[in-house]
């Protein structure tokens, strides 16, 4: 089923096509999807007897229009950036990691345990890297299992990661519900060290919003992923395997090792994402905090066309939808945004092969 | 533990799995990935409650539920077959869309973000232990019926050909496209019925009430190696584990979370080939003209 992921991989050649054509193929599908989503949104708003124009204005005012709303968008975008980068990293090697949900949760859990174990007053310069490593290792372990089973036994990574989601989340639930929770709750005690400064500490206008230093970590991770994929040898191998495993193998690249790296590090990236909630927002691990962010990461990777910076933009877009739902809730139920998320993913998935076919057909005609 | 009550409870729990897994076998044997069963079940469950609520008759609810599953399966089919979209991505999108649409309409029709009002259902005689519900019997019979269709009818042969060797099927005049549309539609109808059973059995719709049952069904399909009867046996096995967990509750013999893991862990073991390798249909997930 590796061929099934090929519509997502950017191109059949690594550098063969002019960038303008690549940009067209990459950018048109998200815009088509946005248009489709806007039309669907209109219909849903009208079904509630409201005016689309005023609801959309409200949505923008509640998200980008004030510091609190914007801060909340940035907070939500941070988690989605991590899970989106994780998914796109795997997809570059032709592998679909649907385990972002449990990798994120495992990372957050490990970060919380580490934050609890560290002595009070550990400086952030020390506690942040330690917690990040713990989170990354936990996510990496969850990512390693499908990587190993794929490489060693050929077990399909899509199914294994889905099944692992249920297994890992049940295991974490057992840890929390059975052993580690504060009585009457489903969360751990507050961490002693590793609390990240919030955006509001720098600019008081963001007061109340959860945006925090993890946002900067997410941007750094995006740059690191970009550098690795497009400037480092390992990333080149990874992309070569994603485009054509047989050819890569023939060219002397170990496909198995590239797969191992792709899925394990995909898990690491998603795992680090756990710091946003645990170190940046609540300062404890709570059962179920991932709440679908792993799956929305797939959406961010898809809409961001598997490019690290595209993923950041897409994460910002989906975070805006999610926060926008709260802003319009008095007039149209926020559940509308759940519908639109699905519509956007579906529309992009359909538009990618279609737009490519149309563009290439047109080019052939002009060339002929 | 009373073995009779164990058996009846196991069958009641297995029915939604049996419907959805039977549908999953048909779609996957035709070459289309069925990660969408969860979404089909959820839309079927909601449509059934909507229909029953406004008509007062559970039979109308059954028809509506079939329609609900069918509509979502047709979206799935158009996206993956006509537009050749990635089947896994579409699967994720369909599941998210089903959650979103049912939530939105729950709010629109019932002004609630958690559950619908109570609706009529089938049976209800305490002594019958759920066996006076016609849907239960339908669920028990669906797997043998699907096995018959898959192995003994021309349509079943075409489904298997489309999933194993679509080019060969095309070359002898079978329209792979049409066969796959039909197979996906069947999976939507059957998984939708699984949702109908669930909703009418509980006499209401609750947000995300399928709670991963569609994924247990897809586990059963894989664990049963894409064979309808073996998949049904896997459903019964998974249902037995869940029954055991419910009946052992309070005794703290095994934490419930570990029993929950059983279907998923077994599926991974089956995929890794420890006990007889699970080999999917050759053309599964491959988008081709």
């Amino acid at each position: 089923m590796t061929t099934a992921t090929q519509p997502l991989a950017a191109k059949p050649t690594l550098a063969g096509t002019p960038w303008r054509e690549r940009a067209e193929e990459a950018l048109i599908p998200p815009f088509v999807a946005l248009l489709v989503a806007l039309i669907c949104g209109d219909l849903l708003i009208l079904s509630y007897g409201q005016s689309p124009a005023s609801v959309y204005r409200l949505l923008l005012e509640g998200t980008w229009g004030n510091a609190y709303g914007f801060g909340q968008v940035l907070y939500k975008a941070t988690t989605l950036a991590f899970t989106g980068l994780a998914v796109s990293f795997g997809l570059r090697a032709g592998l679909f990691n649907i385990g972002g949900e449990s990798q994120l949760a495992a990372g957050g859990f490990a970060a919380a345990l580490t934050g609890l174990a560290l002595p009070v007053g550990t400086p952030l310069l020390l506690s942040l890297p330690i917690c990040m490593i713990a989170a990354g290792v936990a996510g990496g372990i969850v990512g390693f299992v499908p990587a190993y089973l794929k490489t060693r036994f050929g077990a399909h990574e899509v199914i294994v990661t889905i099944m692992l989601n249920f297994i890992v989340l049940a295991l974490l639930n057992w840890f929390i519900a059975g052993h580690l929770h504060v009585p009457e709750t489903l969360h751990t005690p507050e961490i002693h060290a590793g609390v990240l400064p919030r955006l509001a500490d720098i600019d008081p206008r963001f007061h109340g919003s959860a945006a925090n230093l993890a946002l900067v970590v997410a941007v750094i991770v995006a740059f690191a992923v970009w550098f690795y994929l497009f400037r480092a040898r390992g990333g080149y191998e990874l992309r070569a395997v994603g485009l054509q495993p047989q050819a890569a193998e023939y060219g002397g690249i170990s496909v198995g090792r590239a797969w191992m790296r792709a899925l394990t590090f995909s898990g690491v990236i998603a795992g680090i994402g756990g710091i946003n909630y645990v170190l940046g927002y609540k300062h404890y691990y709570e059962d179920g905090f991932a709440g679908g962010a792993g799956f929305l990461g797939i959406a961010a990777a898809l809409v961001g066309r598997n490019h690290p910076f595209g993923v950041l933009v897409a994460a910002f877009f989906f975070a805006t939808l999610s926060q926008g739902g709260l802003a319009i809730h008095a007039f149209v139920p926020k559940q509308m945004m759940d519908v639109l998320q699905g519509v956007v993913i579906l529309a992009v998935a359909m538009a990618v092969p279609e737009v490519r076919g149309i563009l290439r057909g047109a080019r052939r005609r002009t060339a002929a | 533990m009373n073995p009779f009550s164990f058996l009846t409870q196991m069958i009641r729990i297995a029915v939604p799995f049996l419907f959805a897994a039977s549908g999953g076998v048909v779609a996957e044997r035709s070459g289309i990935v069925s990660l969408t069963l969860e979404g089909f079940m959820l839309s079927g469950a909601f449509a059934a409650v909507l229909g029953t609520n406004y008509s007062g008759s559970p039979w109308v609810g059954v028809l509506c539920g079939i329609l609900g599953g069918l509509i979502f399966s047709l979206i799935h089919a158009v996206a993956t077959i006509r537009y050749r979209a990635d089947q896994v991505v579409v699967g994720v999108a369909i599941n998210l869309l089903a959650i979103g649409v049912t939530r939105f309409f729950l709010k629109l029709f019932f002004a609630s973000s958690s559950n619908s009002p109570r609706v009529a259902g089938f049976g209800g005689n305490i002594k019958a232990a759920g066996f006076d519900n016609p849907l239960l019997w339908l669920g028990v019979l669906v797997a043998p019926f699907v096995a018959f269709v898959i192995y003994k009818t021309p349509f079943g042969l075409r489904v298997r050909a489309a999933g194993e060797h679509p080019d060969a099927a095309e070359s002898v005049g079978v329209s792979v496209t049409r066969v796959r549309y039909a197979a996906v539609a069947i999976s939507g109808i059957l998984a939708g019925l699984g949702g109908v059973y669930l909703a009418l059995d509980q006499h209401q719709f609750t947000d995300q009430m399928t709670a991963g049952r569609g994924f247990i069904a897809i586990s059963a399909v894989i664990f049963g190696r894409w064979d309808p009867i073996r998949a049904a046996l896997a459903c019964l096995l998974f249902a037995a584990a869940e029954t055991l967990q419910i009946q052992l509750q309070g005794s703290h013999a095994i934490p419930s979370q570990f029993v929950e893991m059983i279907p998923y862990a077994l599926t991974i073991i089956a995929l890794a080939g420890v006990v007889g390798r699970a080999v999917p249909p050759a053309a599964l997930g491959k988008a081709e003209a």
Side-chain angles (χ1 to χ4, degrees):
Chain A
M1 212 158 82
T2 38
T3 47
T5 53
Q6 273 188 359
L8 290 165
K11 295 287 293 175
T13 55
L14 278 177
T17 335
W19 73 269
R20 204 183 72 92
E21 291 182 14
R22 275 191 291 177
E24 276 176 2
E25 282 182 22
L27 293 178
I28 293 176
F31 280 103
V32 173
L34 193 64
L35 207 66
V36 174
L38 276 175
I39 295 168
C40 283
D42 282 354
L43 295 177
L44 293 180
I45 293 167
L46 289 172
S47 80
Y48 241 83
Q50 300 286 344
S51 135
S54 62
V55 168
Y56 283 133
R57 192 179 318 120
L58 210 62
L59 188 152
L60 284 178
E61 281 167 10
T63 52
W64 302 350
N66 68 78
Y68 167 77
F70 193 68
Q72 285 300 91
V73 170
L74 289 179
Y75 166 73
K76 290 179 177 174
T78 305
T79 304
L80 290 182
F82 280 110
T83 53
L85 287 168
V87 173
S88 68
F89 193 80
L91 276 177
R92 282 286 175 174
L95 297 180
F96 219 132
N97 174 16
I98 311 216
E101 193 81 3
S102 57
Q103 290 150 6
L104 178 70
F109 183 71
L113 289 193
T114 316
L116 276 168
L118 289 172
V120 182
T122 313
L124 193 63
L125 223 51
L126 200 64
S127 58
L128 175 60
I130 294 176
C131 288
M132 271 176 65
I133 290 169
V137 167
I141 290 171
V142 182
F144 173 80
V145 176
Y148 179 77
L149 294 178
K150 168 101 186 170
T151 313
R152 178 79 176 73
F153 300 107
H156 201 285
E157 81 282 358
V158 167
I159 305 294
V160 174
T161 48
I162 290 176
M163 301 296 144
L164 263 186
N165 274 342
F166 290 103
I167 294 175
V168 171
L169 292 176
L171 194 66
L172 291 175
N173 177 269
W174 175 71
F175 272 124
I176 292 296
H179 302 276
L180 289 164
H181 62 110
V182 174
E184 310 295 317
T185 70
L186 273 177
H187 61 74
T188 62
E190 286 209 9
I191 51 175
H192 304 140
V195 171
L196 296 177
R198 291 206 183 171
L199 206 52
D201 301 337
I202 301 161
D203 186 338
R205 278 179 304 168
F206 287 99
H207 181 76
S209 84
N212 61 76
L213 192 67
L215 174 67
V216 180
V217 179
V219 174
I220 293 171
V221 169
F223 268 96
V225 167
W226 174 82
F227 184 85
Y228 181 76
L229 283 177
F230 300 106
R231 292 291 178 271
R233 190 188 149 159
Y236 176 83
E237 290 181 356
L238 216 123
R239 289 188 296 134
V241 168
L243 292 173
Q244 189 39 268
Q246 286 88 355
E249 184 91 63
Y250 184 73
I253 296 168
S254 160
V255 174
R257 268 217 296 254
W259 279 349
M260 291 294 284
R261 250 186 327 207
L263 277 182
T264 308
F265 277 97
S266 177
V268 169
I269 298 168
I272 295 175
I275 66 167
N276 188 39
Y277 179 91
V278 172
L279 304 186
Y281 177 32
K282 291 282 189 175
H283 309 146
Y284 52 69
Y285 171 89
E286 183 160 25
D287 196 47
F289 88 87
F295 293 110
L296 269 188
I298 297 166
L302 182 73
V303 174
R305 308 298 287 112
N306 278 335
H307 193 286
F309 306 135
V311 172
L312 290 185
V313 176
F316 185 73
F317 167 73
F318 280 105
T320 304
L321 276 191
S322 154
Q323 181 64 23
L326 301 177
I328 61 168
H329 193 54
F331 298 91
V332 184
K334 63 173 189 284
Q335 286 81 357
M336 174 185 143
M337 294 307 171
D338 298 333
V339 180
L340 292 190
Q341 282 167 356
V343 168
V344 170
I345 305 172
L346 208 54
V348 174
M350 295 206 280
V352 167
E354 194 71 6
V355 165
R356 181 185 301 154
I358 292 170
L359 283 178
R360 293 201 180 154
R363 276 181 210 132
R364 263 200 301 279
R365 274 194 297 281
T366 46
Chain B
M1 205 186 318
N2 176 351
F4 181 73
S5 84
F6 182 89
L7 215 61
T8 52
Q9 188 173 21
M10 180 186 86
I11 291 173
R12 283 199 306 271
I13 289 175
V15 167
F17 301 156
L18 289 168
F19 274 118
S22 302
V25 167
V26 177
E28 295 233 324
R29 284 305 275 265
S30 85
I32 303 291
V33 176
S34 274
L35 296 176
T36 44
L37 293 177
E38 180 82 3
F40 298 164
M41 287 178 92
L42 196 62
S43 53
F46 182 78
V49 166
L50 200 62
T52 311
N53 184 65
Y54 284 104
S55 70
S57 156
W59 287 108
V60 175
V62 171
L63 288 179
C64 289
I66 288 175
L67 202 65
L70 185 63
I71 289 170
F72 270 77
S73 68
L74 288 180
I75 299 174
H76 180 48
V78 169
T80 53
I81 301 169
R82 160 69 183 83
Y83 286 93
R84 276 179 267 159
D86 184 275
Q87 298 182 8
V88 176
V89 172
V90 173
V92 172
I94 292 275
N95 291 337
L96 285 176
L97 196 64
I99 294 174
V101 167
T102 52
R103 275 182 181 165
F104 186 82
F105 286 115
L106 191 61
K107 196 85 184 163
L108 188 65
F109 286 108
F110 303 119
S112 161
S113 51
S114 58
N115 59 277
S116 75
R118 193 182 155 82
V119 297
F122 292 108
N125 188 340
I126 301 285
K127 281 201 194 115
F131 280 74
D132 51 352
N133 181 346
L135 281 182
L136 183 136
W137 291 101
L138 197 60
V140 170
L141 295 175
V142 71
F145 178 71
V146 165
F148 174 79
V149 170
I150 288 278
Y151 294 120
K152 302 285 178 201
T153 65
F155 173 74
L157 181 63
R158 286 178 194 146
V159 167
R160 284 181 287 142
E164 291 294 342
H165 211 315
D167 296 337
E170 286 281 355
S171 74
V172 294
V174 173
S175 165
V176 170
T177 306
R178 213 178 296 166
V179 167
R180 287 184 172 170
Y181 266 107
V184 173
I186 290 170
S187 80
I189 290 170
L190 291 181
L193 276 170
V196 172
Y197 175 86
L198 204 62
L200 293 186
D201 190 48
Q202 298 180 11
H203 294 280
Q204 66 170 356
F205 178 86
T206 47
D207 183 27
Q208 295 203 55
M209 73 183 302
T210 46
R213 285 182 179 82
F215 290 103
I216 293 188
I218 200 71
S219 298
V221 172
I222 297 165
F223 194 65
R225 291 187 234 165
W226 290 271
D227 171 78
I229 298 298
R230 276 193 297 225
L233 292 177
C235 290
L236 291 176
L237 176 69
F238 297 163
E242 202 176 318
T243 313
L244 199 64
Q245 176 209 324
I246 293 168
Q247 301 217 346
L248 287 179
Q249 234 160 35
S251 72
H252 295 293
I254 323 161
S256 65
Q257 291 93 341
F258 289 89
V259 183
E260 273 170 40
M261 292 177 199
I262 289 174
Y264 311 116
L266 285 179
T267 305
I268 291 179
I269 291 168
L271 273 179
V274 178
V275 208
R277 191 72 202 285
V279 181
L284 183 63
K286 294 195 172 126
E288 42 76 62

